[in-house]
Amino acid sequence: MAPDSRNLPREIADRFTKPFAQFLKIEAASGLLLLLAALAALGLANSPWSTPFLAFWETPVGLHFGPLDFSRSLRHWINDGLMTFFFFVVALELKRELVLGELRNLRMAAMPFAGALGGMIVPVSLYLALMTGQPGAHGWGTVMATDTAFVIGCLALFGSRIPPSLRLFLLSLAIFDDVGAILVVAVGYGEALNWVALALGVLGLAAVAGAARLGIRSVPVYFLLGGVIWLCFDASGIHATIAGVVLGLMTPTRVWVSDARLRAILGRVLSYPGGEHWSGDTRERHDLRQAGIAVTEALSPVERLEMMLHPWAGFVIMPLFALANAGVAISGADIGQSVSVTIFVGLAFGKPIGVLAFSWLAVRFGFATQAPSLNLPFLAAGALLTGIGFTMSLFIAGLAYTPAMLDAAKIGILGGSVFSAAAGLLMLVWLTSRIRAS
């Protein structure tokens, strides 16, 4: 009996649906871990250990050689260094969905794209209208982005009771949202440009493209080039995390070893008789090594890197980010500052209004296609969840606000995110209970 006959036959769609399902499982689990990390940070920041806990993240870490000092605080390394990997994974996810996934259909991609656009324009407009002429007006980017892990984690509570099209819509919207937010960070929250460093960073990107063109497939080589590019962008005045987005979008989606070639190489290895003949400088060992390379290269670089890095982003980087940034001493914060209320309004009301209105308009005017299972009530519930802005909102707040306003901004972010989660979950509970009762 052939080995393949013991399993169901594989379809082309399996290459996309299985990684997507695995992605959702990681996102849901990482959402729970992110929540625990945020609660731990809040608890420690309001405990007797508050001072040492908050001071720990300001510990300088880096290298010092004579007059050269390349050191940053621990929080800076997390926010600018580790978050670069997070945005690299976001860019990989976006490219996979656009090239290999369901968003290859431009009209399908147009709806979450329009929703993401509305979810940025409307809350930013509200923020600017309410904060005009006040300190903190520069923090408009805080109300732009949706936290992917928390949103998918909320949806995971309902299992199969909600339409899969809602998950795809919110996941795609959050990815567009994150990329848009980091582009805004690069442009709106950078420093004075160092053109020499920027030119060196662009040269590094050209080196990555050239290495790919030459057929270099060594991950350490690209990791080294990526590190150099990050240093150049960090010195250029453009926020260094943009390097992760650009490198992720540059990652190839084409496989090097086709399915037919893979089968031929594996067939040659399997044709050898059983026995210990894989060691030494033999033809069999050479073929076995070729088979190992072929199995790896039968997946595109985008898929391989996403599979490798996504668990690290979800289970290490984002919880660390939450621990370093979610801590706010509530008793010492001036929650009466207008920035708290404005951020709350932007996330809790501006985001869902923008997402729902722009999505409906895109479908109404024929620019986008709406999945039949994604009706208006479920779309509205999903739009409410997009107000959970936690990770990216805290990230931008750390860049936009002075230390005197940062705690008030964090309270607005936490309040808006909790309200949005509660409102979205309650509406989903109501919708799913009605379906079950009918």
Side-chain angles (χ1 to χ4, degrees):
M1 180 184 293
D4 284 346
S5 64
R6 291 176 296 184
N7 299 302
L8 292 172
R10 295 189 63 191
E11 299 289 353
I12 295 175
D14 292 338
R15 293 188 58 192
F16 314 125
T17 56
K18 289 182 179 179
F20 181 70
Q22 181 66 21
F23 174 85
L24 290 178
K25 289 178 182 177
I26 293 174
E27 284 294 330
S30 67
L32 175 61
L33 190 58
L34 185 62
L35 175 61
L36 294 175
L39 292 174
L42 277 172
L44 287 168
N46 291 277
S47 73
W49 302 283
S50 173
T51 300
F53 171 73
L54 296 175
F56 171 74
W57 303 109
E58 303 303 327
T59 305
V61 178
L63 300 175
H64 186 81
F65 295 104
L68 299 176
D69 183 17
F70 192 75
S71 60
R72 303 284 191 276
S73 70
L74 188 56
R75 180 181 281 112
H76 181 98
W77 283 116
I78 292 171
N79 291 359
D80 287 23
L82 289 183
M83 286 297 283
T84 301
F85 283 97
F86 170 76
F87 289 117
F88 178 69
V89 174
V90 168
L92 290 177
E93 294 161 0
L94 176 62
K95 187 163 186 180
R96 173 178 57 78
E97 284 295 327
L98 290 173
V99 178
L100 302 175
E102 293 190 40
L103 297 185
R104 288 178 297 173
N105 183 324
L106 291 180
R107 284 169 57 82
M108 287 290 292
M111 187 175 174
F113 178 79
L117 191 63
M120 290 187 277
I121 291 174
V122 173
V124 168
S125 301
L126 270 175
Y127 185 97
L128 291 173
L130 295 173
M131 291 293 292
T132 300
Q134 299 186 56
H138 188 54
W140 49 268
T142 310
V143 295
M144 288 180 58
T146 297
D147 192 289
T148 313
F150 272 138
V151 170
I152 298 302
C154 289
L155 296 181
L157 298 174
F158 297 89
S160 59
R161 287 177 291 166
I162 60 173
S165 54
L166 178 61
R167 288 189 178 88
L168 178 62
F169 171 77
L170 289 178
L171 176 62
S172 306
L173 181 146
I175 293 173
F176 283 129
D177 219 281
D178 283 342
V179 172
I182 193 56
L183 291 176
V184 166
V185 166
V187 176
Y189 297 99
E191 300 171 358
L193 287 181
N194 181 330
W195 291 102
V196 174
L198 184 59
L200 290 174
V202 173
L203 188 63
L205 293 173
V208 169
R213 176 74 65 176
L214 291 173
I216 297 173
R217 290 180 163 74
S218 171
V219 172
V221 169
Y222 290 106
F223 182 84
L224 179 62
L225 287 171
V228 172
I229 293 168
W230 184 89
L231 291 173
C232 292
F233 275 89
D234 187 53
S236 71
I238 294 177
H239 203 271
T241 48
I242 193 65
V245 174
V246 176
L247 289 170
L249 294 176
M250 289 177 64
T251 305
T253 55
R254 184 176 61 85
V255 298
W256 186 45
V257 176
S258 66
D259 183 66
R261 187 181 293 272
L262 174 65
R263 292 175 182 275
I265 292 173
L266 292 178
R268 186 167 66 239
V269 172
L270 293 174
S271 67
Y272 289 118
E276 299 292 332
H277 46 251
W278 303 114
S279 60
D281 188 15
T282 62
R283 177 69 181 175
E284 291 90 338
R285 183 186 180 188
H286 171 75
D287 288 344
L288 184 62
R289 292 182 63 187
Q290 264 204 338
I293 295 171
V295 168
T296 300
E297 295 291 348
L299 282 174
S300 69
V302 159
E303 293 171 295
R304 281 191 287 124
L305 287 171
E306 187 184 352
M307 290 166 60
M308 179 173 64
L309 295 177
H310 190 213
W312 286 97
F315 297 125
V316 178
I317 294 174
M318 292 180 68
L320 267 177
F321 176 86
L323 279 173
N325 292 276
V328 51
I330 295 174
S331 60
D334 181 8
I335 59 175
Q337 292 189 51
S338 56
V339 68
S340 300
V341 177
T342 304
I343 290 175
F344 179 90
V345 170
L347 291 175
F349 299 102
K351 287 288 291 185
I353 291 171
V355 168
L356 197 59
F358 275 60
S359 299
W360 181 83
L361 288 171
V363 174
R364 177 70 177 81
F365 288 101
F367 299 121
T369 299
Q370 182 175 342
S373 60
L374 185 58
N375 57 34
L376 186 59
F378 273 111
L379 183 61
L384 287 171
L385 290 176
T386 62
I388 306 174
F390 188 77
T391 304
M392 276 303 301
S393 293
L394 289 174
F395 178 72
I396 297 175
L399 301 172
Y401 296 106
T402 62
M405 299 187 69
L406 185 56
D407 281 354
K410 287 182 179 180
I411 288 175
I413 292 167
L414 295 174
S417 297
V418 170
F419 178 88
S420 299
L425 288 173
L426 285 173
M427 188 166 182
L428 285 174
V429 168
W430 178 67
L431 290 172
T432 53
S433 62
R434 282 186 61 194
I435 293 173
R436 204 176 346 177
S438 60

